[in-house]
Amino acid sequence: MSADKNAMKKEQIIKTAMQLFAVKGSSSTSMQEIAELCGISKGSLYLVFKSKEELERSIYIYCFRMIHDPLQQEEESSRPPRVKLRNQIEILLHHVYELREFFQRQIQELAGKGMPDAPEWLRKINGPLLNWSRDKLEIMYGKEIIPYTGELFLLGHGILHSYIWVLFNHESAVSIPRLADHLVDLLDIVVAGLLTGHHVPLIAPIVLDSWIENHDGNSLQRNPLQLIKEMKELLNSAQGMDLQSIDDGLESLAILEGEILMPHPRKAIIQGMLGNLQGCSAVQQQLEDLQKQMPLQPPGICGFH
């Protein structure tokens, strides 16, 4: 079978399985039923997908690409950044609405199973998505908006979920183009308020960096907050150190942690606390790792904005 015919057969099976899953749910649909609706034998189906689990993974990836590809095309267009974002929101909502019956059934099944962890491939999307959001906000509103990336990401994520709820349950209430316009208008209003009021960010830059590191699918490096937590635990259980040294080390770590959680960490304070910890033999390896991430670095790295 040629590569094109094989791809067409695979897509036909995926679409057929999605139809059955939308009606019956994946757990109540057998591979035999999928094969019969496709007009092929069960053995032929297993030549394409070795298991039902592999088929289910392929369906989720198919849905992801179905949404991702037109979003990427819009990203590569020559339209202004704000127009791109507005169009991408509309594209996303259109495709989610198109797949609503399948998604609703999957949500019901996940709820019945106690909401297991998201698939690994889906978790890996979060880091790049946060990075993309930060870049998009900077292009649209300038560098001064970067410290507010965390809360704007949460706000946009929550509003999108609310819009999807409206589409799924009250589809005629508001049109998709109007929802896309509304979200971008709201974003403009919130950004103007944040920049005018000079509010302290809800999500500190260092915390956002740790979210990105923990979800990028590649990084094995522990972020500064993880290292500080580990150092506290080591000092609390240290043997052979006098109590005063332990207390001094814990105090330095507390000051260091509080400083890097600030919107604009003071490098002098950070360097001073790192210096205080040089004498704590129990945490030297963690301190070395911490210093590699937090020397005098240029703005934008490890929360120094």
Side-chain angles (χ1 to χ4, degrees):
M1 184 182 293
S2 69
D4 287 344
K5 285 185 177 179
N6 190 53
M8 289 175 62
K9 184 175 183 180
K10 187 173 183 179
E11 184 173 348
Q12 180 200 3
I13 294 170
I14 286 173
K15 288 181 176 179
T16 301
M18 287 176 66
Q19 291 172 4
L20 286 169
F21 288 0
V23 175
K24 301 179 62 176
S26 59
S27 60
S28 299
T29 302
S30 68
M31 293 291 272
Q32 181 66 48
E33 289 174 297
I34 296 169
E36 288 177 359
L37 196 57
C38 287
I40 60 176
S41 69
K42 188 175 179 181
S44 296
L45 176 57
Y46 276 109
L47 288 175
V48 182
F49 296 102
K50 294 181 176 61
S51 66
K52 188 177 178 183
E53 289 73 24
E54 182 182 328
L55 173 57
E56 289 175 343
R57 285 195 300 272
S58 296
I59 288 173
Y60 283 115
I61 293 171
Y62 175 81
C63 292
F64 168 72
R65 288 176 177 166
M66 181 179 173
I67 297 172
H68 172 270
D69 290 351
L71 290 177
Q72 186 60 35
Q73 289 176 8
E74 180 64 31
E75 187 68 24
E76 294 169 359
S77 74
S78 58
R79 285 179 276 273
R82 190 181 186 279
V83 176
K84 283 185 187 180
L85 179 60
R86 182 256 169 231
N87 290 348
Q88 287 171 323
I89 294 168
E90 182 174 352
I91 290 167
L92 174 64
L93 292 175
H94 267 303
H95 283 292
V96 170
Y97 180 69
E98 184 180 346
L99 296 166
R100 67 191 182 283
E101 292 176 351
F102 170 74
F103 285 151
Q104 283 178 308
R105 177 64 69 174
Q106 296 311 300
I107 291 168
Q108 290 170 1
E109 288 210 344
L110 289 173
K113 294 175 183 177
M115 294 300 291
D117 291 338
E120 182 183 357
W121 67 267
L122 184 58
R123 291 197 301 271
K124 289 181 178 180
I125 296 171
N126 293 330
L129 184 57
L130 281 164
N131 263 325
W132 177 86
S133 300
R134 182 156 54 186
D135 293 342
K136 177 73 75 173
L137 289 168
E138 181 181 354
I139 291 170
M140 289 177 61
Y141 301 111
K143 289 186 179 297
E144 55 270 29
I145 200 60
I146 291 177
Y148 300 105
T149 299
E151 54 237 73
L152 290 172
F153 179 83
L154 292 177
L155 179 67
H157 190 267
I159 293 174
L160 278 173
H161 270 274
S162 298
Y163 288 173
I164 291 169
W165 178 84
V166 169
L167 290 174
F168 282 11
N169 296 282
H170 309 280
E171 56 186 274
S172 62
V174 188
S175 70
I176 288 176
R178 180 68 189 98
L179 290 173
D181 290 334
H182 187 253
L183 178 49
V184 178
D185 289 343
L186 279 180
L187 189 61
D188 287 343
I189 293 168
V190 173
V191 167
L194 289 170
L195 295 180
T196 302
H198 302 290
H199 299 278
V200 175
L202 176 67
I203 310 297
I206 190 69
V207 174
L208 185 64
D209 287 340
S210 73
W211 288 0
I212 293 172
E213 289 170 13
N214 289 337
H215 293 93
D216 67 2
N218 297 308
S219 176
L220 297 176
Q221 176 176 274
R222 290 167 295 174
N223 67 65
L225 294 176
Q226 291 172 321
L227 287 167
I228 289 172
K229 179 181 179 182
E230 186 175 331
M231 293 165 77
K232 287 179 179 178
E233 292 171 351
L234 287 170
L235 284 177
N236 279 317
S237 60
Q239 307 243 340
M241 283 183 65
D242 64 89
L243 291 177
Q244 186 59 53
S245 296
I246 292 174
D247 287 344
D248 290 345
L250 290 172
E251 183 179 1
S252 295
L253 286 170
I255 294 171
L256 180 60
E257 183 177 42
E259 191 64 33
I260 65 174
L261 284 170
M262 297 293 289
H264 304 285
R266 294 166 293 181
K267 295 174 185 176
I269 300 295
I270 289 173
Q271 285 190 314
M273 296 305 104
L274 292 174
N276 291 347
L277 292 164
Q278 290 292 339
C280 297
S281 57
V283 297
Q284 285 308 295
Q285 183 57 60
Q286 291 74 18
L287 182 59
E288 288 178 14
D289 292 341
L290 193 58
Q291 287 174 316
K292 290 175 184 176
Q293 299 185 47
M294 302 178 61
L296 278 174
Q297 301 195 52
I301 299 179
C302 289
F304 289 87
H305 298 285

